[in-house]
Amino acid sequence: MDRLPVSLQTLYADMVDRAWSSSFEELIQAGGSPYLQKVGDQQFWYLKMPMLAGIRKKSMYLGPDGPDIQRRLAAHHDLRAVREERISMIRSLRAARLPGPDPLSGKIMSALAEAGAFRLRAVVVGSAAFQIYSPMLGVRFENVIGQTGDLDIAQFHAISIATDDEIAKDFLTTLQEADPRFKAIPSPMDGRRTLRYAIRVGQQEEFSVDLLCPLRGPDRGPVTELKSLKADAQLLRYLDFLIRGEVNAVALYGLGIPINVPAPERYAVHKLIVSRMRIQTAQSQAKARKDIRQAEALIGVLSEDRPYELASAWAEARDRGPSWRAKLDEGIGLLRPDIRDRLLALPK
């Protein structure tokens, strides 16, 4: 683990704010008008769209109220100048050997961002999210696998319904804008539903995109519909813990892609859990080893820089029940002794 200069950490934080602010500004300058709406005991920002041929389009969801979104809505800049600044900032960050997505993942995330998926609180998970933690936490992780031939996107079912908004085109069409070879792979349990999206060469998957949704409570089949993303998603246990309280971030590709990723402390704890769910085959065991390595890398820096956040995530996971504690106890036993000791020494 190599610490980054404070100047690079500041540059990345500025990049996140500019990228997310710009995505709102483009909508507002297209004629939208932001307004605040109370839903239950929370307030959310929406964008009222202009009339077109006597018909007003449905309002667009922007996100929950808070200081970050208020500041971004208040900021208005010349978009051409903003783009030039962002290109320069991305070049500086990549010149410092900070990781960015592979070209296809970058194109896919860019297409999803432009379609509004991350505005609707979709979250990038898996190794594509792990790459983001390097500039976010101010470290350069050495010898930790962060590139794979897939991309995982997750969203809460409740958010998909509650936003009352949706991406411009269906999920598959959006993927095909990044690469027209993408096809919907049907679920083996129900051929009418989609399990994943993939580029296949012969019988081999060259690249896949998995759309995921948390499963809590009793089983209700392997697939559900995410209304706001216009697609089916795989239901997975333990995922709700990972994507709760997602964090605004930027993927270092193009102009800088505004995306959401899990909080790093939740990612680290979640990796300990899922590592014990990947033990059936040699391929899954290889993924489990990568899970442990990523968890070790994050715990190493978080135990120093964010010990209370890591301790809170660890305690929350253990409090969720015996099956959670069993997997965490197995996972922690696979960590390097020094990393395990750091985790066990966290403040209570």
Short mmCIF file of all heavy atoms in Angstrom, two decimals, residues 215 218-224 234-235:
data_model
loop_
_atom_site.label_atom_id
_atom_site.label_comp_id
_atom_site.label_asym_id
_atom_site.label_seq_id
_atom_site.Cartn_x
_atom_site.Cartn_y
_atom_site.Cartn_z
N LEU A 215 -31.93 -9.54 -1.80
CA LEU A 215 -32.98 -10.45 -1.37
C LEU A 215 -32.94 -10.56 0.14
O LEU A 215 -31.92 -10.93 0.72
CB LEU A 215 -32.78 -11.84 -1.99
CG LEU A 215 -33.70 -12.96 -1.47
CD1 LEU A 215 -35.16 -12.65 -1.80
CD2 LEU A 215 -33.29 -14.31 -2.05
N PRO A 218 -38.02 -14.59 2.75
CA PRO A 218 -38.09 -15.89 2.07
C PRO A 218 -37.69 -15.80 0.61
O PRO A 218 -37.78 -14.74 -0.02
CB PRO A 218 -39.58 -16.27 2.22
CG PRO A 218 -40.29 -14.96 2.38
CD PRO A 218 -39.34 -14.08 3.14
N ASP A 219 -37.25 -16.92 0.05
CA ASP A 219 -36.92 -16.98 -1.37
C ASP A 219 -38.17 -16.67 -2.20
O ASP A 219 -39.28 -17.09 -1.86
CB ASP A 219 -36.41 -18.36 -1.75
CG ASP A 219 -35.01 -18.62 -1.19
OD1 ASP A 219 -34.27 -17.64 -0.99
OD2 ASP A 219 -34.68 -19.80 -0.95
N ARG A 220 -37.95 -15.93 -3.30
CA ARG A 220 -39.07 -15.64 -4.20
C ARG A 220 -38.63 -15.74 -5.66
O ARG A 220 -39.01 -14.95 -6.51
CB ARG A 220 -39.65 -14.25 -3.91
CG ARG A 220 -38.67 -13.09 -3.93
CD ARG A 220 -39.42 -11.79 -3.64
NE ARG A 220 -38.62 -10.60 -3.84
CZ ARG A 220 -37.82 -10.06 -2.94
NH1 ARG A 220 -37.73 -10.62 -1.74
NH2 ARG A 220 -37.13 -8.96 -3.20
N GLY A 221 -37.81 -16.75 -5.92
CA GLY A 221 -37.32 -16.95 -7.27
C GLY A 221 -35.99 -16.25 -7.48
O GLY A 221 -35.58 -15.41 -6.69
N PRO A 222 -35.29 -16.57 -8.57
CA PRO A 222 -33.95 -16.03 -8.78
C PRO A 222 -33.92 -14.64 -9.40
O PRO A 222 -32.88 -14.00 -9.41
CB PRO A 222 -33.32 -17.06 -9.73
CG PRO A 222 -34.48 -17.60 -10.51
CD PRO A 222 -35.64 -17.61 -9.56
N VAL A 223 -35.04 -14.17 -9.95
CA VAL A 223 -35.03 -12.94 -10.74
C VAL A 223 -36.20 -12.05 -10.35
O VAL A 223 -37.28 -12.53 -9.99
CB VAL A 223 -35.12 -13.27 -12.26
CG1 VAL A 223 -35.20 -12.01 -13.09
CG2 VAL A 223 -33.92 -14.10 -12.69
N THR A 224 -35.97 -10.74 -10.38
CA THR A 224 -37.04 -9.77 -10.16
C THR A 224 -36.92 -8.66 -11.21
O THR A 224 -35.92 -8.59 -11.92
CB THR A 224 -36.95 -9.15 -8.75
OG1 THR A 224 -38.14 -8.39 -8.49
CG2 THR A 224 -35.74 -8.24 -8.61
N GLN A 234 -30.91 -10.26 -10.92
CA GLN A 234 -30.72 -11.42 -10.06
C GLN A 234 -30.92 -11.02 -8.60
O GLN A 234 -30.40 -9.98 -8.17
CB GLN A 234 -29.32 -12.01 -10.22
CG GLN A 234 -28.97 -12.47 -11.61
CD GLN A 234 -27.53 -12.93 -11.69
OE1 GLN A 234 -27.04 -13.64 -10.81
NE2 GLN A 234 -26.84 -12.54 -12.75
N LEU A 235 -31.63 -11.83 -7.85
CA LEU A 235 -31.82 -11.59 -6.42
C LEU A 235 -30.70 -12.27 -5.63
O LEU A 235 -30.44 -13.47 -5.81
CB LEU A 235 -33.18 -12.14 -5.97
CG LEU A 235 -34.40 -11.32 -6.41
CD1 LEU A 235 -35.66 -12.14 -6.32
CD2 LEU A 235 -34.53 -10.06 -5.57
#
